[in-house]
Amino acid sequence: MVAIKRTQFGTELKLKAKYLGPYKVVKVGNHGRYEVEKVGEGEGPYKTLTVAEYIKALGANPLSGGPIVVCGTG
């Protein structure tokens, strides 16, 4: 599960979450591109293409013991 960075900014978006999601990676493309599909009822488009620089992992690797990252929806 991943979150993708909001790339469109404008008025009234200053207080909104900087990442949209959650998404699952459907397809890995060339040059660090990923096709992602929304999981659940988060904010953002149902299906989109994004680049690796705009993706953030959600959840924790059970072996690392790291924190769980939660993506805000509003």
Side-chain angles (χ1 to χ4, degrees), residues 60-66:
N61 180 347
L63 301 176
S64 73

PDB file of all heavy atoms in Angstrom, residues 60-66:
ATOM      1  N   ALA A  60       3.834  -0.715   7.946  1.00  0.00           N
ATOM      2  CA  ALA A  60       5.174  -1.024   8.426  1.00  0.00           C
ATOM      3  C   ALA A  60       5.589  -2.397   7.944  1.00  0.00           C
ATOM      4  O   ALA A  60       4.767  -3.286   7.770  1.00  0.00           O
ATOM      5  CB  ALA A  60       5.200  -0.989   9.949  1.00  0.00           C
ATOM      6  N   ASN A  61       6.867  -2.549   7.707  1.00  0.00           N
ATOM      7  CA  ASN A  61       7.424  -3.855   7.412  1.00  0.00           C
ATOM      8  C   ASN A  61       7.452  -4.622   8.732  1.00  0.00           C
ATOM      9  O   ASN A  61       8.095  -4.182   9.682  1.00  0.00           O
ATOM     10  CB  ASN A  61       8.833  -3.685   6.840  1.00  0.00           C
ATOM     11  CG  ASN A  61       9.480  -4.994   6.499  1.00  0.00           C
ATOM     12  OD1 ASN A  61       9.007  -6.060   6.884  1.00  0.00           O
ATOM     13  ND2 ASN A  61      10.577  -4.921   5.769  1.00  0.00           N
ATOM     14  N   PRO A  62       6.764  -5.750   8.835  1.00  0.00           N
ATOM     15  CA  PRO A  62       6.717  -6.471  10.111  1.00  0.00           C
ATOM     16  C   PRO A  62       8.097  -6.877  10.619  1.00  0.00           C
ATOM     17  O   PRO A  62       8.296  -7.035  11.803  1.00  0.00           O
ATOM     18  CB  PRO A  62       5.856  -7.693   9.823  1.00  0.00           C
ATOM     19  CG  PRO A  62       5.565  -7.701   8.381  1.00  0.00           C
ATOM     20  CD  PRO A  62       6.026  -6.415   7.788  1.00  0.00           C
ATOM     21  N   LEU A  63       9.071  -7.011   9.745  1.00  0.00           N
ATOM     22  CA  LEU A  63      10.401  -7.400  10.166  1.00  0.00           C
ATOM     23  C   LEU A  63      11.227  -6.217  10.678  1.00  0.00           C
ATOM     24  O   LEU A  63      12.127  -6.389  11.483  1.00  0.00           O
ATOM     25  CB  LEU A  63      11.146  -8.066   9.004  1.00  0.00           C
ATOM     26  CG  LEU A  63      10.485  -9.310   8.432  1.00  0.00           C
ATOM     27  CD1 LEU A  63      11.248  -9.818   7.222  1.00  0.00           C
ATOM     28  CD2 LEU A  63      10.362 -10.395   9.478  1.00  0.00           C
ATOM     29  N   SER A  64      10.871  -4.996  10.246  1.00  0.00           N
ATOM     30  CA  SER A  64      11.665  -3.836  10.642  1.00  0.00           C
ATOM     31  C   SER A  64      11.233  -3.266  11.978  1.00  0.00           C
ATOM     32  O   SER A  64      11.998  -2.587  12.641  1.00  0.00           O
ATOM     33  CB  SER A  64      11.583  -2.740   9.586  1.00  0.00           C
ATOM     34  OG  SER A  64      10.314  -2.129   9.611  1.00  0.00           O
ATOM     35  N   GLY A  65       9.970  -3.488  12.359  1.00  0.00           N
ATOM     36  CA  GLY A  65       9.474  -2.927  13.605  1.00  0.00           C
ATOM     37  C   GLY A  65       9.261  -1.428  13.525  1.00  0.00           C
ATOM     38  O   GLY A  65       9.112  -0.760  14.526  1.00  0.00           O
ATOM     39  N   GLY A  66       9.240  -0.880  12.304  1.00  0.00           N
ATOM     40  CA  GLY A  66       9.075   0.554  12.123  1.00  0.00           C
ATOM     41  C   GLY A  66       7.657   1.006  12.394  1.00  0.00           C
ATOM     42  O   GLY A  66       6.740   0.204  12.548  1.00  0.00           O
TER      43      GLY A  66
END
